Amino acid sequence: MPRLEGKVALISGAAMGMGASHARVFVREGARVVLGDIAEDVGRELAAELGEPATFVRLDVTDADSWSAVLARAEESFGPVTVLVNNAGVAGPFTSTAELAPEIYHRTVDVDEHGVFLGMRAAIPGMVAAGGGSIVNISSTAGFSHAGTPNVAYTAAKFAVRGMTKAVAVEYASAGIRVNSVHPGGVLTPMVANSLDDAGRAAVSAGIPLGRLAEPEEISHLVLFLASDEASYVTGAAFVADGGMLAR
Ligand SMILES: NC(=O)c1ccc[n+]([C@@H]2O[C@H](COP(=O)([O-])OP(=O)(O)OC[C@H]3O[C@@H](n4cnc5c(N)ncnc54)[C@H](O)[C@@H]3O)[C@@H](O)[C@H]2O)c1
């Protein structure tokens, strides 16, 4: 049986990169999936390619009203959302704290941290009414260590996501809602491709015990497990998929 049979999932930042990969894997495993993103053209194209079990809705994760509208549309199209993947994120530029523009700090935290809070806040009531659900918050190895991460804003936001995950997991465990965080290392998505040339990529790979960056689908398999009922006893936990980077 497909591992997400009967589930309705909302994935933020699903137009490209890891979010798009999660969407493909979720559809393959029997879920109906709402793709939320600000990148409308690519998002719609992907939804069309995935066919009937997928739909695209414009979502700006920094806007509480946008979340309410997307959840209402999701329920209309497919039924109550019981899986939420808070994946949308921004990173960069690589800069020291003294040189980081306050606007970039605020924008990074707005998307990467506040966006996760707003997503959980919006989705929880429907999950409570449905008798439970699974929330997967995408943090990063930057949720454990500053090493190799673009700047202090990204590190701050990704640490916050790990903390929020535990708080909300404890708060809503009795409602049957599981909440976990996923911490990828370097993954070959537009986020990384845009910030690394070939030499940079080789240098990063050399610092990873497995000797390479991850393909997006290698992270999707972990997200799939956490979204599925196979993870029924798993909540409040942080899962690292980094090719051994943090073990160094
Ligand atoms: N790529 C990596 O190496 C890596 C490593 C660790 C963690 N992560 C995290 O994984 C997640 C996905 O990263 P990715 O590499 O696929 O990035 P990406 O840049 O390839 O894709 C990010 C997606 O988020 C969307 N997005 C940005 N701002 C948004 C907003 N306000 N509202 C809705 N959507 C928005 C973008 O349009 C894009 O589709 C992010 O949270 C990122 O921080 C990435």
Side-chain angles (χ1 to χ4, degrees):
M1 185 171 119
R3 294 161 74 188
L4 296 180
E5 185 73 48
K7 298 207 185 289
V8 177
L10 169 55
I11 303 174
S12 73
M16 61 188 104
M18 265 185 270
S21 170
H22 304 335
R24 288 179 200 282
V25 169
F26 276 29
V27 165
R28 201 189 299 153
E29 291 295 337
R32 278 163 298 166
V33 180
V34 178
L35 285 66
D37 207 298
I38 47 173
E40 296 192 43
D41 292 349
V42 238
R44 283 186 209 291
E45 256 172 55
L46 177 60
E49 179 198 321
L50 293 174
E52 185 279 325
T55 188
F56 175 84
V57 184
R58 186 182 196 282
L59 168 68
D60 179 348
V61 297
T62 66
D63 177 359
D65 292 340
S66 182
W67 276 107
S68 311
V70 171
L71 280 152
R73 280 279 305 282
E75 178 143 7
E76 237 173 71
S77 306
F78 294 141
V81 168
T82 54
V83 174
L84 170 66
V85 183
N86 274 313
N87 164 81
V90 292
F94 278 88
T95 184
S96 66
T97 299
E99 283 164 354
L100 184 65
E103 304 74 50
I104 292 187
Y105 186 96
H106 294 307
R107 178 68 192 157
T108 305
V109 167
D110 213 15
V111 177
D112 294 3
E113 176 185 337
H114 300 167
V116 172
F117 158 66
L118 291 175
M120 292 196 287
R121 177 182 178 275
I124 282 170
M127 290 188 184
V128 171
S134 172
I135 299 175
V136 183
N137 293 326
I138 307 300
S139 174
S140 165
T141 44
F144 285 96
S145 158
H146 182 59
T149 66
N151 59 50
V152 66
Y154 192 74
T155 306
K158 294 302 187 181
F159 262 76
V161 169
R162 180 158 63 97
M164 275 195 283
T165 297
K166 294 186 189 307
V168 178
V170 170
E171 211 182 326
Y172 286 95
S174 62
I177 303 175
R178 297 181 297 99
V179 193
N180 293 286
S181 57
V182 166
H183 302 260
V187 186
L188 285 166
T189 67
M191 182 182 273
V192 164
N194 295 339
S195 66
L196 285 181
D197 56 15
D198 285 351
R201 191 167 145 177
V204 172
S205 299
I208 302 170
L210 285 184
R212 61 175 179 85
L213 293 153
E215 294 298 333
E217 198 164 311
E218 295 182 277
I219 309 302
S220 301
H221 291 142
L222 177 52
V223 175
L224 164 65
F225 166 69
L226 293 170
S228 78
D229 294 338
E230 293 162 19
S232 53
Y233 198 60
V234 180
T235 197
F239 292 83
V240 175
D242 69 347
M245 221 157 59
L246 287 180
R248 278 226 149 127

